[in-house]
Amino acid sequence: MKNLHRPFTLLIGAIALIVGSCTVPETNNPSIVAQPTTSATATNKELTPNSFKQVTVAKDLERPWGMAWLPDGAILITERVGRVKIFRNGSLEQIAIAEIPNLFVSGQAGLMDISLHPRFAQNNLVYLTYSSGNFQSNHTSILRAKFDGKALVEPQVIFEVKPSKSGNQHFGSRIVWLPDDTMLIAIGDGGNPPLQLDGELIRNQAQKLNSQLGKVLRLKDDGSIPSDNPFVKTASANPAIWSYGHRNIQGLFADPISKQVWSTEHGSRGGDELNLIEAGKNYGWPVVTFSQEYTGGKISKEVSRPNMVDPKLVWTPAIAPSGLLLYRGNIFPNWEGNLFAGGLVSKSVVRIKIEGNKTIVQETIPVGQRVRDVRQGKDGFIYILTDEQSGQLIRLEPM
């Protein structure tokens, strides 16, 4: 539960962040001080300058969004404008992709995440999320295709989020896979005020179990709904829902070792959250939140309720988190089991250590560009994708 009724402890020097702007809008309020939940503390223990370096391995990516590793070590990278590129043997090339049905590119909308089927070596299946429709009516869709080594072929839309919405905000769109080969897909709440749906603010959809907006959904690999989803037998609830009460998750990671699912989601003028996601749980938005209205004032007077799950960490001012990794490798042995959260507004990557039920901010790694995605490569290095008109693929390497 979001139990923070006692006075908050200010985090003096907790996170040194660069305050900037984020498209459509994920801004922040520099007058608000970063605060933890009861289960989170923070420090600022920077590594020595020579412990690692940032190496730019690819440039000139137009608003890249997601990346996925092929068995041979090549990387498939999406660009929000609707392209897929491959980084292989030090070079970057565009690959052919059949037409993406009804692709909508505007603001935060476009081609977003990419993920390989867990049994890609046998079936060659690739999954992409994208916004479909137009400004007046759109939704997140999931496209499945096959990669034949040169092109993405046989495209098929296997799932479309309902209800449709207007505007160009809050599509969520991260995909992760669970051990049973089902997938989790993060879906945003639809957008900021004054955007409405059915006569009320669209963000209220996050609390409605008959809506897929503001949710994490769980699907089979063909887009159908697993029979053991938490709300399958709940009257009037949408059976695809795995968890609810989310604003806009753009960082999602399923750890195959601990079986835990972590997420980062955007707040509004602060109140970004790191959450541990569990089936059937309510994460509060917008009923309980640390966020502020973009026009000023609190969104809610409550930051906790007994039947809602507390975030493990809250960022105010906002970092605008996108991309999330739990490191499991031997290139950086001291980082084993640490979380790495990208930041669009902060233009950095935040390293977070997990100690029992506590999350401790260990350091902020300045990148100097909007960080859209953070992943571990097959080689054990950490890769960073920057969301710029001329974006970069950056690799962290030990010195």
Side-chain angles (χ1 to χ4, degrees):
M1 60 182 178
K2 296 179 181 286
N3 186 10
L4 293 176
H5 297 299
R6 65 175 181 268
F8 302 128
T9 302
L10 301 182
L11 301 182
I12 305 301
I15 309 174
L17 298 178
I18 302 171
V19 177
S21 62
C22 181
T23 50
V24 197
E26 296 293 352
T27 58
N28 63 84
N29 182 356
S31 67
I32 302 172
V33 180
Q35 302 191 34
T37 68
T38 52
S39 60
T41 58
T43 59
N44 190 24
K45 300 177 181 177
E46 299 291 341
L47 291 185
T48 57
N50 294 325
S51 58
F52 67 92
K53 60 183 177 180
Q54 299 181 31
V55 178
T56 300
V57 295
K59 297 181 179 180
D60 299 324
L61 290 155
E62 185 176 355
R63 298 293 176 191
W65 214 96
M67 49 184 163
W69 269 256
L70 293 168
D72 65 0
I75 311 171
L76 296 177
I77 301 173
T78 56
E79 294 179 317
R80 190 162 51 80
V81 291
R83 291 188 292 263
V84 179
K85 293 186 175 178
I86 187 167
F87 179 74
R88 176 182 281 154
N89 299 325
S91 64
L92 191 67
E93 297 179 5
Q94 184 172 334
I95 66 171
I97 180 172
E99 182 180 0
I100 301 172
N102 212 18
L103 175 65
F104 170 51
V105 180
S106 173
Q108 297 172 7
L111 180 60
M112 290 173 280
D113 210 11
I114 184 168
S115 182
L116 305 187
H117 192 285
R119 290 180 283 107
F120 175 85
Q122 289 77 47
N123 59 31
N124 296 322
L125 291 177
V126 177
Y127 294 74
L128 302 109
T129 59
Y130 72 98
S131 48
S132 175
N134 53 47
F135 195 87
Q136 288 72 38
S137 179
N138 57 73
H139 54 262
T140 302
S141 291
I142 301 173
L143 184 74
R144 185 176 70 178
K146 287 187 176 181
F147 184 60
D148 65 5
K150 296 181 180 179
L152 287 167
V153 299
E154 300 179 31
Q156 178 187 9
V157 176
I158 63 168
F159 191 82
E160 295 179 314
V161 171
K162 297 178 180 178
S164 293
K165 64 181 193 65
S166 60
N168 57 7
Q169 301 175 356
H170 298 189
F171 295 91
S173 280
R174 289 296 176 197
I175 303 173
V176 298
W177 295 87
L178 299 180
D180 61 359
D181 287 359
T182 61
M183 55 182 168
L184 300 181
I185 301 96
I187 304 299
D189 67 353
N192 297 311
L195 193 64
Q196 295 193 355
L197 184 65
D198 297 332
E200 61 179 329
L201 292 177
I202 196 170
R203 68 188 181 196
N204 293 336
Q205 294 288 309
Q207 287 295 318
K208 297 181 184 297
L209 286 177
N210 62 352
S211 170
Q212 294 170 353
L213 298 177
K215 310 297 192 298
V216 173
L217 309 178
R218 176 173 173 249
L219 304 173
K220 293 182 179 180
D221 61 0
D222 62 357
S224 62
I225 297 171
S227 60
D228 58 347
N229 270 2
F231 297 104
V232 164
K233 297 181 180 180
T234 301
S236 301
N238 190 284
I241 296 173
W242 177 252
S243 64
Y244 65 110
H246 303 291
R247 183 171 181 266
N248 193 26
I249 292 175
Q250 291 188 343
L252 194 63
F253 189 87
D255 181 27
I257 296 178
S258 69
K259 305 300 190 290
Q260 292 178 325
V261 178
W262 292 90
S263 77
T264 53
E265 69 178 272
H266 293 253
S268 170
R269 289 187 72 193
D272 296 346
E273 295 183 357
L274 169 70
N275 282 301
L276 184 59
I277 304 295
E278 298 181 56
K281 297 296 180 67
N282 183 354
Y283 289 80
W285 174 258
V287 176
V288 295
T289 179
F290 291 87
S291 294
Q292 305 279 316
E293 297 283 12
Y294 286 116
T295 54
K298 294 181 178 180
I299 291 173
S300 173
K301 294 180 180 180
E302 298 179 80
V303 295
S304 178
R305 281 192 182 182
N307 62 338
M308 297 178 181
V309 181
D310 285 336
K312 294 296 183 180
L313 194 66
V314 173
W315 286 280
T316 299
I319 67 169
S322 187
L324 185 65
L325 160 70
L326 193 151
Y327 185 72
R328 298 290 190 188
N330 54 20
I331 298 294
F332 301 101
N334 293 336
W335 290 353
E336 169 69 21
N338 286 193
L339 288 165
F340 291 79
L344 294 162
V345 164
S346 65
K347 299 182 179 181
S348 67
V349 174
V350 180
R351 181 168 69 90
I352 304 161
K353 187 176 182 180
I354 305 167
E355 291 186 346
N357 196 37
K358 295 182 179 180
T359 52
I360 304 171
V361 173
Q362 290 294 103
E363 65 178 312
T364 298
I365 301 171
V367 176
Q369 298 185 53
R370 293 160 48 87
V371 176
R372 175 59 74 185
D373 203 5
V374 185
R375 307 268 177 151
Q376 179 179 332
K378 286 187 171 294
D379 53 12
F381 292 103
I382 293 175
Y383 288 79
I384 299 167
L385 202 58
T386 67
D387 175 39
E388 303 285 344
Q389 191 63 31
S390 182
Q392 298 181 0
L393 178 64
I394 298 169
R395 184 170 60 219
L396 297 187
E397 300 179 1
M399 294 289 285

